[in-house]
Amino acid sequence: MDKIRKTYQKLDGKIHSMFYEPVGESEKSKICILLVHPYGDYMTFSPGEEMAKRGYCVLCANVSNPDSLMEDKMSDVRIMMDHLKGERGFKAVLLWGHSGGASLLSAYQSVAENGVQIFRGSEKIVKCQELSGFQAAEGMLLPDSNWGNGAMALFSVDPAVYWKDGKIAINPELDIFNPENGFRENGAVYSDAFVHKFLKAQGKRNNELIERALERLHIIDRGEGQYSDDEPFIIPAASMFPLNNKLFPQDIRYFSHTKGSWPLLCGDGGIRKEIVHSVRRPYNMESLSRSYRMGAAVTTVRLFLNTLAVRVTDDYYYNEDTLYGVDWTSSFNCTPGNMMGVHVPTLVMGMTGGYEFSAAETIYENAAAEKKELVFVEGADHNYQPATECETYPGQFGNTEKRLFDYTDHWIEDNFC
């Protein structure tokens, strides 16, 4: 069913969206996929057309304000869900969480299933504001979701920076771009001792940033802040945009394969079950730590704590297949923690050519769903295209998009049709 139509919609007068639908009705067309991201413009992202071609309706929507709190973005998702379940009357809505979109959609679904109290415990850095009226989706689709915005921000914190004479300076002993620490332009090879020292310092700086922001929040709430409602919070060398993650992008031995054996959708069209290896190449080979525009996280006290913060414990560390010491329950901006409260059927997919490859196994392990599945797509990049720069010969990875969307189609058929 390749013929589709698409319609621009503005929901509730503020939410821009594109609605994709097949021409002709079927059992599949009674199911709608909702695709949304907390920051990016996803109205033309490939799942819209591709899943509509396979018979489903798809709403690709943007949140009304990317610079708002998670609660505001979850409330936007509520408007989208009310539209799909009420006005359009779909029998099932499935949430498609790509990249950081999984943070938002898993948070929404967890509140919809459990009530807002799930995000109001004493373990949370900040408690979720009052929310109600959330209708739960019937399923979760998580193709190349990341660990969450808090974790991606954590990975971007440079512990080597400090202030000297009013300027940003770099401690050479913690500098991942220092050749003496193992940096090479064609791919770093850091020693175990350096990695332990770097990650310990990264975790320490991350937690200190959270405590500093909490101190400012208490001052603001007492009416003694710089402003009555919020304050600027600028963090040198901590922006996760554009792709400022540190250590594992430069030394690709880290997060290089899964712990367990999982189905791999291979470039030759077959499926193998094996320990899945990443095929990505080194990236982020230039330090942006001294740059304000490219390296600094420019946010506010409330936005940082609400959307970018997650605590780590003293054993924070990662190696080739495991991430340790992230307190997923400390925030509601990280997908693994949110998925602890999500029980609907869940499909998790990892792209072996993408930089967020290893998150898939972590998300799957933490998902509470009884019916859940984890598969990987060989050679797909973060946006589902063939990672041609990683191929050893042209065409090695084949049509990665087709394999991903076909597999998703069959999974939905098996679970909802």
Side-chain angles (χ1 to χ4, degrees):
M1 186 182 293
D2 288 341
K3 291 185 178 180
I4 66 170
R5 53 178 169 254
K6 54 185 179 180
T7 308
Y8 168 78
Q9 298 175 299
K10 195 172 184 180
L11 305 179
D12 202 42
K14 62 179 181 178
I15 296 171
H16 299 279
S17 68
M18 192 71 73
F19 185 73
Y20 299 82
E21 58 185 325
V23 175
E25 294 185 1
S26 67
E27 280 302 305
K28 289 183 178 182
S29 67
K30 299 174 184 177
I31 298 169
C32 188
I33 296 166
L34 174 58
L35 172 62
V36 64
H37 191 277
Y39 300 110
D41 182 351
Y42 269 50
M43 288 198 297
T44 59
F45 193 34
S46 59
E49 288 197 3
E50 291 298 329
M51 295 308 292
K53 288 177 183 178
R54 288 161 175 79
Y56 305 97
C57 293
V58 186
L59 182 67
C60 296
N62 296 339
V63 296
S64 57
N65 181 6
D67 294 325
S68 60
L69 297 174
M70 281 285 284
E71 291 91 338
D72 298 321
K73 295 171 182 177
M74 285 191 272
S75 295
D76 281 354
V77 177
R78 179 186 59 77
I79 293 169
M80 301 168 199
M81 289 290 290
D82 288 349
H83 171 73
L84 296 176
K85 284 180 167 284
E87 183 178 336
R88 289 192 173 269
F90 285 104
K91 76 169 189 179
V93 177
L94 312 180
L95 303 180
W96 185 297
H98 170 251
S99 191
S103 301
L104 170 58
L105 292 174
S106 60
Y108 172 90
Q109 182 68 14
S110 188
V111 171
E113 290 191 30
N114 305 283
V116 74
Q117 67 272 8
I118 196 169
F119 292 154
R120 295 183 62 80
S122 59
E123 74 281 358
K124 294 292 184 285
I125 296 169
V126 290
K127 293 178 173 58
C128 189
Q129 298 173 10
E130 287 296 337
L131 298 169
S132 62
F134 285 12
Q135 298 188 69
E138 280 67 38
M140 297 290 295
L141 304 167
L142 302 175
D144 222 40
S145 308
N146 62 33
W147 293 268
N149 298 327
M152 303 311 287
L154 161 69
F155 298 150
S156 300
V157 168
D158 189 351
V161 299
Y162 67 100
W163 290 100
K164 182 178 180 181
D165 300 328
K167 297 179 181 179
I168 294 293
I170 305 293
N171 178 356
E173 294 184 1
L174 289 171
D175 184 7
I176 60 171
F177 298 100
N178 183 350
E180 293 185 7
N181 294 329
F183 178 75
R184 304 289 183 272
E185 289 187 356
N186 62 346
V189 180
Y190 303 118
S191 69
D192 288 346
F194 174 77
V195 171
H196 276 88
K197 180 167 64 175
F198 179 90
L199 292 178
K200 187 173 184 63
Q202 185 180 63
K204 182 174 182 289
R205 185 180 178 217
N206 173 80
N207 285 352
E208 287 173 347
L209 288 168
I210 293 172
E211 292 310 309
R212 178 151 59 91
L214 285 171
E215 289 175 5
R216 293 308 308 172
L217 181 62
H218 296 326
I219 291 171
I220 294 167
D221 286 344
R222 291 200 306 265
E224 301 170 3
Q226 299 169 8
Y227 302 89
S228 61
D229 50 355
D230 205 351
E231 287 182 1
F233 196 66
I234 300 174
I235 312 169
S239 173
M240 59 179 178
F241 303 113
L243 297 183
N244 268 306
N245 298 157
K246 298 170 176 68
L247 199 142
F248 72 87
Q250 293 79 24
D251 188 339
I252 59 173
R253 296 175 302 166
Y254 293 87
F255 295 142
S256 60
H257 63 79
T258 60
K259 298 191 296 292
S261 295
W262 305 102
L264 175 67
L265 310 184
C266 303
D268 60 9
I271 300 178
R272 297 194 305 266
K273 188 173 183 180
E274 61 187 35
I275 291 176
V276 180
H277 288 260
S278 168
V279 300
R280 64 183 172 90
R281 302 290 175 86
Y283 68 98
N284 286 4
M285 306 308 285
E286 178 184 359
S287 176
L288 300 175
S289 290
R290 289 190 178 92
S291 170
Y292 175 79
R293 289 190 177 183
M294 303 293 284
V298 182
T299 182
T300 72
V301 169
R302 291 190 189 278
L303 280 173
F304 170 71
L305 293 170
N306 181 275
T307 65
L308 296 176
V310 64
R311 283 196 176 101
V312 299
T313 57
D314 289 341
D315 60 342
Y316 167 62
Y317 184 73
Y318 54 76
N319 56 25
E320 70 275 8
D321 62 10
T322 305
L323 171 62
Y324 303 94
V326 178
D327 182 1
W328 300 119
T329 65
S330 67
S331 83
F332 46 94
N333 60 51
C334 287
T335 310
N338 296 343
M339 291 302 294
M340 294 176 187
V342 174
H343 300 83
V344 295
T346 299
L347 174 63
V348 184
M349 305 182 81
M351 311 296 125
T352 71
Y355 56 93
E356 298 175 345
F357 151 86
S358 190
E361 194 171 38
T362 305
I363 293 168
Y364 175 85
E365 290 172 340
N366 284 278
E370 183 176 333
K371 185 177 288 186
K372 59 182 179 179
E373 187 173 345
L374 172 60
V375 298
F376 291 84
V377 182
E378 183 180 35
D381 67 15
H382 186 47
N383 290 321
Y384 313 147
Q385 298 287 328
T388 54
E389 73 281 3
C390 303
E391 291 181 330
T392 56
Y393 58 87
Q396 177 185 1
F397 298 140
N399 191 333
T400 53
E401 276 196 312
K402 185 176 188 303
R403 295 203 306 279
L404 184 153
F405 294 124
D406 283 351
Y407 194 92
T408 305
D409 176 19
H410 298 321
W411 185 84
I412 297 173
E413 283 188 310
D414 290 344
N415 286 278
F416 297 99
C417 292

